[in-house]
């Protein structure tokens, strides 16, 4: 697929989506956001894709936020539409994706960039990564789900400190507070994210999908997460993957899902 600000390729059933605006530190302007939506939609519909890794071009930035220059032209209505669009992409196409989505944070993940990473199921970061939600320094607040997802991930006190001070933290601190899963040298970042993805692929994709959905129910006040878990648990007993997984265990062999 050809995009202007996104590189997209599929390798070993992983769709790699690379935000490619290096001269602007991969800031998400509206075109990039639209292309992100299109590339995620493509990954979603491609039976050959089992998971997605999102990263940024270069060794300086994952995504340094929404494009601040475009903000100048926005009125209240346009700002609302932009925020809603970001919410749709991050929630429906990333967080609610049935296929696992991993953020490989290769540098600055600020504002909408950190919110993009927060919507992903896991976050791996390079040692040089810097993480922050600096919106209040611009007279704004995080508008792509950051106030909610950061709070749930690291707890209210730490999230409030990051959002109200607008200060950045480094990757090690991100690891310490549970914002980051693992910190790696930049040159190992994509390899490690791909390794973890392949590990997930070796499991039952039906069960992985059900687990993501049940865990997402935690964030969804319209669903009772415990009920969702019970329903999925029961339903999985009907699947071929369950039969194969249990048979493989009893026969002391690897399952063939
Ligand atoms: N929106 C638009 N352009 C951005 C951007 C953003 N969020 N972040 C960086 N850029 C652009 C800069 O304007 C600059 O473009 P130019 O060369 O045309 O002037 C280019 O990317 C390089 O950035 P620069 O600021 O020169 O790099 P730096 O190393 O000095 O600083 C940052 C890096 C990340 C600290 C700094 O770019 C920054 O604070 N960016 C904004 C972060 C932010 O507030 N994000 C939240 C937005 S809601």
């Amino acid at each position: 697929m050809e995009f202007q600000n996104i590189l997209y390729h599929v390798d070993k059933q992983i769709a790699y989506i690379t935000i490619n605006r290096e001269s602007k530190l991969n800031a998400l302007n509206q075109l990039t956001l639209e292309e992100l939506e299109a590339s995620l939609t493509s990954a979603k519909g491609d039976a050959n894709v089992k998971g997605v890794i999102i990263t940024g071009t270069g060794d300086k930035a994952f995504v340094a936020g929404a494009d601040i220059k475009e903000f100048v032209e926005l009125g209240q209505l346009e700002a609302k539409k932009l925020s809603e669009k970001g919410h749709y992409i991050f929630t429906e196409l990333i967080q609610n994706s049935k296929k696992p989505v991993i953020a490989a944070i290769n540098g600055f993940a600020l504002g909408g960039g950190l919110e993009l990473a927060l919507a992903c199921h896991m976050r791996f970061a390079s040692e040089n990564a810097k993480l922050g939600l600096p919106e209040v320094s611009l007279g704004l607040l995080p508008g792509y789900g950051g106030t909610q997802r950061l709070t749930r991930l690291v707890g209210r006190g730490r999230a409030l400190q990051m959002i109200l001070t607008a200060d950045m933290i480094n990757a090690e601190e991100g690891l310490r507070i549970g914002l980051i899963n693992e910190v790696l040298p930049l040159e190992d970042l994509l390899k490690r994210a791909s390794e973890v993805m392949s590990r997930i692929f070796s499991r039952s994709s039906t069960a992985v999908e059900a687990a993501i959905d049940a865990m997402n129910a935690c964030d969804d006040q319209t669903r009772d997460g415990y009920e969702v878990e019970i329903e999925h648990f029961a339903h999985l007993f009907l699947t071929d993957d369950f039969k194969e997984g249990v048979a493989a265990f009893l026969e002391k062999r690897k399952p063939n899902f």
Side-chain angles (χ1 to χ4, degrees):
M1 289 187 91
E2 286 293 316
F3 295 109
Q4 200 175 309
N5 294 335
I6 296 245
L7 302 174
Y8 181 88
H9 79 281
V10 178
D11 183 33
K12 298 193 182 79
Q13 297 187 296
I14 302 174
Y16 291 86
I17 295 178
T18 306
I19 315 294
N20 186 35
R21 276 187 95 207
E22 198 175 349
S23 67
K24 301 294 176 197
L25 303 188
N26 302 321
L28 290 179
N29 62 358
Q30 296 200 34
L31 176 62
T32 311
L33 207 55
E34 273 161 30
E35 292 184 348
L36 179 63
E37 179 179 4
S39 55
L40 286 162
T41 304
S42 171
K44 179 180 176 179
D46 185 345
N48 187 39
V49 169
K50 287 179 71 182
V52 177
I53 293 178
I54 303 178
T55 192
T57 296
D59 57 7
K60 191 168 171 187
F62 172 68
V63 170
D67 192 307
I68 299 169
K69 284 192 184 125
E70 285 189 348
F71 281 177
V72 178
E73 292 143 30
L74 302 184
Q76 185 182 359
L77 201 62
E78 291 90 353
K80 186 163 188 234
K81 280 192 179 151
L82 183 64
S83 179
E84 283 171 349
K85 177 142 187 116
H87 272 261
Y88 167 73
I89 297 170
F90 290 8
T91 303
E92 291 308 321
L93 297 178
I94 300 181
Q95 181 170 303
N96 292 349
S97 164
K98 295 178 172 179
K99 305 174 184 184
V101 185
I102 294 179
I105 303 172
N106 55 307
F108 287 112
L110 302 175
L114 182 58
E115 293 175 290
L116 169 62
L118 283 166
C120 294
H121 300 128
M122 283 165 232
R123 285 152 293 283
F124 294 83
S126 54
E127 290 159 339
N128 62 318
K130 292 270 190 322
L131 318 158
L133 293 174
E135 284 86 349
V136 297
S137 67
L138 297 167
L140 294 172
L141 88 169
Y144 293 159
T147 59
Q148 308 302 298
R149 290 196 181 95
L150 187 66
T151 307
R152 289 190 188 116
L153 195 60
V154 304
R156 190 176 161 80
R158 288 191 174 112
L160 275 161
Q161 186 174 347
M162 281 181 73
I163 291 173
L164 302 190
T165 63
D167 288 341
M168 294 182 211
I169 60 171
N170 63 23
E172 277 304 326
E173 179 63 1
L175 180 70
R176 199 182 68 78
I177 66 174
L179 175 47
I180 296 299
N181 289 58
E182 290 179 27
V183 179
L184 301 134
L186 181 58
E187 58 274 20
D188 297 337
L189 178 66
L190 275 183
K191 187 169 155 277
R192 178 64 184 144
S194 313
E195 263 172 25
V196 172
M197 192 65 94
S198 303
R199 189 107 179 111
I200 298 170
F201 291 173
S202 72
R203 311 308 187 191
S204 156
S205 56
T206 318
V208 164
E209 189 182 309
I212 291 174
D213 186 54
M215 290 161 86
N216 278 346
C218 235
D219 281 350
D220 184 344
Q221 287 167 359
T222 66
R223 301 199 294 168
D224 178 335
Y226 293 100
E227 285 300 326
V228 174
E229 184 183 277
I230 292 167
E231 289 304 318
H232 278 309
F233 184 77
H235 179 74
L236 288 172
F237 275 73
L238 295 173
T239 64
D240 290 341
D241 277 2
F242 164 70
K243 291 183 188 97
E244 168 60 12
V246 171
F249 177 80
L250 296 174
E251 291 161 22
K252 299 190 188 301
R253 60 172 175 84
K254 280 194 172 171
N256 183 18
F257 292 121

